[in-house]
Amino acid sequence: MNAFQRNESKETLFTFISAGDDPPKGDFPLQRKSPKLCGSNYPLSIAFIVVNEFCERFSYYGMRAVLTLYFLSFFHWDENLSTAVYHAFSALCYFTPVIGAIMADSWLGKYKTIIYLSIVYVVGHLIKSVGAIPSLGNQAVHVVLSMVGLFLIALGTGGIKPCVSAFGGDQFEEEHTSERSKFFSIFYLSINAGSLISTFVTPVLRGDVKCFGEDCYALAFGVPAALMVLALVVFIAGSGLYRKTPPQGNVLLEVCKCIGFAIKNRLKNRSREIPKRDHWLDWASEKYSKQLIGEVKMVTRVLFLFIPLPMFWALFDQQFLNPLLILVFIPIFDLGLYPLINMCKLNFTPIRKMATGMILAGLAFGLAAVIEVKINETDMPRLVPKESLIRVLNLAKNPVQVTIQDKDLFQQPVESFQITDLEAKPENGLAAVRFINGLSQDVNLTIDSKRFIAVQRNYSASEYSVLERDVYNDGKCITETGEFPLELGLLDFGASYTVVITNISGDAVETWKSEDIKANNVHMAWQLPQYLLISAGEVMFSITGLAFSYSQVYSHMAPDSELQGLCGSLDVLIIPFQMMQSPASMKSVLQAGWLLTVAVGNTFVLIVAEAAPMAQWAEFVLFTVLLFAVCIIFSIMGYFYVSVDPEDLEEKEEKRETSSRGNMIGLVTQKTKL
């Protein structure tokens, strides 16, 4: 007894398609179309997705903006440990997308994966905020809570990364490929808007608001937690509008098994007598269908093209000015530059855009290396073994000629004392100043309202005081004979000064100021070209790559011969336009592969930094050379890559459908018993 005989008492409703109807398109099963946004071809559902992404990125970058400072000031970790934990957390956030992709494609689907992992995300934020309350337990409790919270945040933010962008792309009908492409630009705008605003807000919450008698890290972490709750609420609010693609089974596992079987089968059949096959994956045809093998071919081609990309992320770092420039550049590129290039009939393919982005990033870091060399010209000389640097201060009234004989003797005996200079510039562009008291009486100095320095008589020296760059002419010098004004003048960026109090004349203190380490002489504006180049490179590289990794997988209809083979036993002509689930079922996995290039790039930076410490300018040069080399490799790979253009596929499919309609007869919808 066959299946039809077993169910002959059941009625089945078939939908027949007449010669004048268009076959259904998009993901199968068919879903109703989402309402459009303001009369455009943009689904209303993407508004909820974009707002969700803005809130989530505000949450993530807002928390991360104060994370290193939290380690330094709250945990009192040293800078090396704080930096290492920070980078480890950042790298973990780009490894966990693989977990989210597997959950979405194999188990829950994108929609449920986003919701469940967003809840994990919220819990992580809450635990992180509670761990920042000083009165709650000792430091060990704070560290444990913070690390657990960071792990859950990494799992949540990483897990939803490949799902949200791919889920947004799923909202568009197949014929709206240009709108889908622009969606990824809007999506990226929301990312950088959230990053920019949170970079302003959370440091203010930490520093300007006090709680528990100190900086309010609990609030600085609590506000991002609230934004993540809002992101989850907004996403759920759009539930009724979404096109939800069901999971397609354990896609990643099937892909791995198919690849493994192909390799194993090829190794077993190495005889020259066995005919060669067109593609190495064709060796899996004994066990897997042509459809699956075709899908794996498509995905592996894209993933292979991703291999050189981590080098771009090795150079890229999210900073304050970058998201601001991204917000400016995205509309300029999408509405101005790209249309202009198209008008000039230039074939500016996605791969060429990405290669151009890599070149711009390389130029940015090449320029950074040049500027770093100029900055280092004002540094203290780097001494090698058996070398010393001696500085002679002449406090006499007349010039003194001093020479060194045999490298260890002064020609003229000099009464001397030794004090230790700074070995490097003050950090963060601050200025350093110390005082030598040339008077025969002790002095108490006031530089500003917070600096009080006592220096003993007869050429005693004070410790260095580190100050903000400013003009200090309101100081005071208090001696046994009275109080006198103290004018130091400008203490400039990165400079080190020695101020010698030489005499008191009338109502003023006479001083002599020596610039021991030269001030920084490279203007901060020279950083602007670097930011412009790296931001332009990111727009071309990252947004294009995000859309490219989505567009290279698609749904297509089964060939006519396959369709006709499904309906030979029915006495009524039925053509079930079965939508073949091709790599569209692996969009999240491919998006995870794209995000994985970020993780590999960050990991590469950590390895280089730890394995071979080098000067900053040398590191810039190294990465610039590596990026240009990788860009050449990527360009060669891209030259041989046959890109899938969704618009071309749509046109070809419509032509094929039109030509096939002439052979179809009029069909009607009816019920039939089998």
Side-chain angles (χ1 to χ4, degrees):
M1 181 180 295
N2 59 35
F4 293 110
Q5 292 172 327
R6 285 196 303 267
N7 295 283
E8 60 183 2
S9 62
K10 295 183 179 179
E11 290 189 341
T12 306
L13 179 64
F14 292 90
T15 300
F16 300 94
I17 301 176
S18 68
D21 292 335
D22 289 332
K25 299 177 183 179
D27 293 328
F28 185 78
L30 299 178
Q31 303 187 40
R32 63 183 180 85
K33 293 185 177 181
S34 172
K36 296 298 187 287
L37 192 62
C38 301
S40 66
N41 288 327
Y42 291 91
L44 180 61
S45 56
I46 67 169
F48 294 88
I49 296 173
V50 169
V51 174
N52 164 268
E53 184 65 13
F54 169 83
C55 295
E56 188 274 326
R57 290 290 86 186
F58 185 107
S59 171
Y60 174 74
Y61 284 110
M63 179 276 301
R64 208 179 73 163
V66 296
L67 188 58
T68 302
L69 193 60
Y70 174 69
F71 293 152
L72 291 170
S73 61
F74 194 85
F75 289 165
H76 304 292
W77 289 351
D78 59 41
E79 187 171 349
N80 291 334
L81 178 59
S82 300
T83 303
V85 174
Y86 173 85
H87 283 296
F89 165 72
S90 299
L92 182 61
C93 290
Y94 286 97
F95 279 111
T96 51
V98 176
I99 299 175
I102 294 173
M103 290 175 61
D105 286 340
S106 307
W107 179 26
L108 296 174
K110 300 184 190 72
Y111 176 74
K112 290 184 179 179
T113 298
I114 294 171
I115 290 181
Y116 293 160
L117 289 182
S118 293
I119 294 174
V120 173
Y121 201 161
V122 170
V123 173
H125 268 304
L126 294 176
I127 293 175
K128 187 78 179 65
S129 302
V130 171
I133 299 176
S135 59
L136 185 65
N138 54 24
Q139 184 172 358
V141 174
H142 297 150
V143 172
V144 170
L145 290 176
S146 295
M147 294 304 105
V148 171
L150 286 177
F151 175 78
L152 294 177
I153 291 172
L155 179 60
T157 186
I160 68 175
K161 274 181 187 294
C163 302
V164 177
S165 57
F167 188 69
D170 289 345
Q171 304 309 304
F172 293 83
E173 285 84 17
E174 293 301 323
E175 62 268 22
H176 298 149
T177 53
S178 61
E179 287 83 1
R180 177 190 290 154
S181 179
K182 289 183 175 61
F183 158 74
F184 287 107
S185 294
I186 298 172
F187 187 80
Y188 215 76
L189 271 172
S190 67
I191 291 174
N192 285 274
S195 168
L196 179 65
I197 297 174
S198 66
T199 304
F200 277 112
V201 173
T202 51
V204 171
L205 294 176
R206 177 202 63 82
D208 293 357
V209 179
K210 301 296 181 182
C211 57
F212 307 103
E214 54 187 82
D215 290 346
C216 200
Y217 284 103
L219 180 61
F221 293 139
V223 170
L227 263 293
M228 192 57 222
V229 172
L230 179 61
L232 179 58
V233 171
V234 169
F235 185 76
I236 294 176
S239 175
L241 301 173
Y242 298 141
R243 290 163 53 101
K244 303 170 186 176
T245 305
Q248 305 300 320
N250 200 333
V251 179
L252 183 60
L253 181 60
E254 287 298 308
V255 171
C256 293
K257 286 182 177 179
C258 181
I259 293 174
F261 182 81
I263 296 174
K264 182 179 179 180
N265 196 29
R266 179 67 184 91
L267 294 175
K268 285 183 177 180
N269 298 277
R270 289 177 293 178
S271 174
R272 294 182 179 180
E273 298 177 357
I274 300 177
K276 293 183 178 180
R277 302 187 183 182
D278 294 336
H279 193 278
W280 64 272
L281 277 169
D282 291 334
W283 289 95
S285 59
E286 283 81 0
K287 185 175 181 181
Y288 296 94
S289 66
K290 291 183 179 180
Q291 177 187 335
L292 178 62
I293 294 174
E295 296 172 1
V296 176
K297 286 180 182 178
M298 185 177 297
V299 172
T300 52
R301 283 168 59 235
V302 181
L303 293 178
F304 179 71
L305 199 62
F306 284 174
I307 291 175
L309 303 187
M311 187 51 61
F312 176 88
W313 301 114
L315 272 68
F316 174 77
D317 187 27
Q318 190 86 348
Q319 298 181 21
F320 159 70
L321 195 58
N322 175 259
L324 178 61
L325 291 174
I326 293 295
L327 295 177
V328 175
F329 278 159
I330 288 178
I332 291 177
F333 279 51
D334 281 353
L335 303 179
L337 180 62
Y338 293 156
L340 180 62
I341 292 175
N342 291 334
M343 289 174 60
C344 296
K345 305 298 182 181
L346 298 176
N347 188 19
F348 202 34
T349 63
I351 291 178
R352 290 177 181 175
K353 289 180 184 178
M354 294 170 69
T356 303
M358 297 174 78
I359 292 173
L360 293 176
L363 292 175
F365 273 77
L367 180 59
V370 173
I371 295 175
E372 188 69 22
V373 170
K374 296 295 294 182
I375 292 175
N376 290 345
E377 290 178 355
T378 62
D379 281 351
M380 290 287 288
R382 293 185 178 274
L383 303 178
V384 299
K386 298 184 179 180
E387 286 187 352
S388 298
L389 178 65
I390 300 176
R391 189 184 309 276
V392 179
L393 302 178
N394 178 17
L395 305 180
K397 294 181 178 180
N398 299 316
V400 175
Q401 184 70 34
V402 179
T403 59
I404 298 178
Q405 294 180 345
D406 298 329
K407 299 182 181 180
D408 60 350
L409 295 175
F410 287 96
Q411 184 179 23
Q412 178 180 348
V414 176
E415 293 292 335
S416 66
F417 61 95
Q418 292 184 352
I419 54 178
T420 303
D421 291 339
L422 283 180
E423 296 181 356
K425 283 178 170 290
E427 295 181 353
N428 303 320
L430 299 175
V433 61
R434 66 179 173 187
F435 295 89
I436 297 177
N437 181 10
L439 304 179
S440 58
Q441 51 184 320
D442 297 341
V443 298
N444 292 302
L445 307 174
T446 302
I447 302 176
D448 54 24
S449 59
K450 300 179 181 178
R451 305 282 175 169
F452 303 96
I453 302 170
V455 190
Q456 295 181 354
R457 65 190 72 189
N458 297 329
Y459 300 102
S460 294
S462 70
E463 298 292 334
Y464 280 100
S465 295
V466 180
L467 306 167
E468 298 281 347
R469 183 207 186 253
D470 205 346
V471 176
Y472 293 88
N473 287 333
D474 298 328
K476 296 179 181 179
C477 176
I478 303 174
T479 69
E480 297 174 0
T481 57
E483 181 178 309
F484 306 93
L486 178 65
E487 297 182 359
L488 301 180
L490 175 65
L491 303 182
D492 211 347
F493 291 114
S496 171
Y497 301 92
T498 296
V499 177
V500 182
I501 302 174
T502 58
N503 194 17
I504 296 178
S505 177
D507 295 332
V509 174
E510 294 181 359
T511 60
W512 176 68
K513 183 171 71 173
S514 168
E515 188 180 47
D516 304 334
I517 300 178
K518 293 182 179 180
N520 300 336
N521 57 10
V522 179
H523 198 279
M524 290 181 63
W526 281 105
Q527 292 186 349
L528 184 59
Q530 303 171 49
Y531 282 114
L532 291 173
L533 288 171
I534 194 69
S535 299
E538 184 190 356
V539 170
M540 285 190 168
F541 181 89
S542 187
I543 298 177
T544 304
L546 193 65
F548 177 78
S549 62
Y550 185 95
S551 68
Q552 297 308 286
V553 293
Y554 57 93
S555 295
H556 65 280
M557 293 184 63
D560 289 341
S561 59
E562 295 180 22
L563 294 177
Q564 293 168 358
L566 295 173
C567 51
S569 60
L570 299 180
D571 40 326
V572 180
L573 180 58
I574 302 171
I575 302 183
F577 280 89
Q578 180 181 3
M579 302 304 292
M580 306 297 289
Q581 297 300 318
S582 72
S585 63
M586 289 181 272
K587 282 186 172 71
S588 295
V589 172
L590 204 55
Q591 294 286 306
W594 167 256
L595 293 169
L596 198 60
T597 64
V598 184
V600 175
N602 289 335
T603 305
F604 179 77
V605 173
L606 287 175
I607 293 173
V608 171
E610 294 296 329
M614 60 184 70
Q616 186 68 66
W617 69 267
E619 189 172 305
F620 287 158
V621 171
L622 171 65
F623 284 124
T624 301
V625 172
L626 289 176
L627 183 59
F628 278 121
V630 167
C631 182
I632 294 173
I633 297 172
F634 177 74
S635 300
I636 295 173
M637 295 169 62
Y639 178 79
F640 294 100
Y641 179 83
V642 180
S643 178
V644 176
D645 189 340
E647 294 183 359
D648 292 344
L649 290 172
E650 190 71 26
E651 292 177 2
K652 292 178 181 178
E653 188 172 287
E654 289 177 357
K655 290 180 181 179
R656 187 188 63 76
E657 293 164 8
T658 302
S659 62
S660 65
R661 287 173 186 164
N663 299 325
M664 297 174 63
I665 63 174
L667 300 174
V668 295
T669 303
Q670 61 178 334
K671 291 184 179 181
T672 182
K673 290 185 178 181
L674 300 181

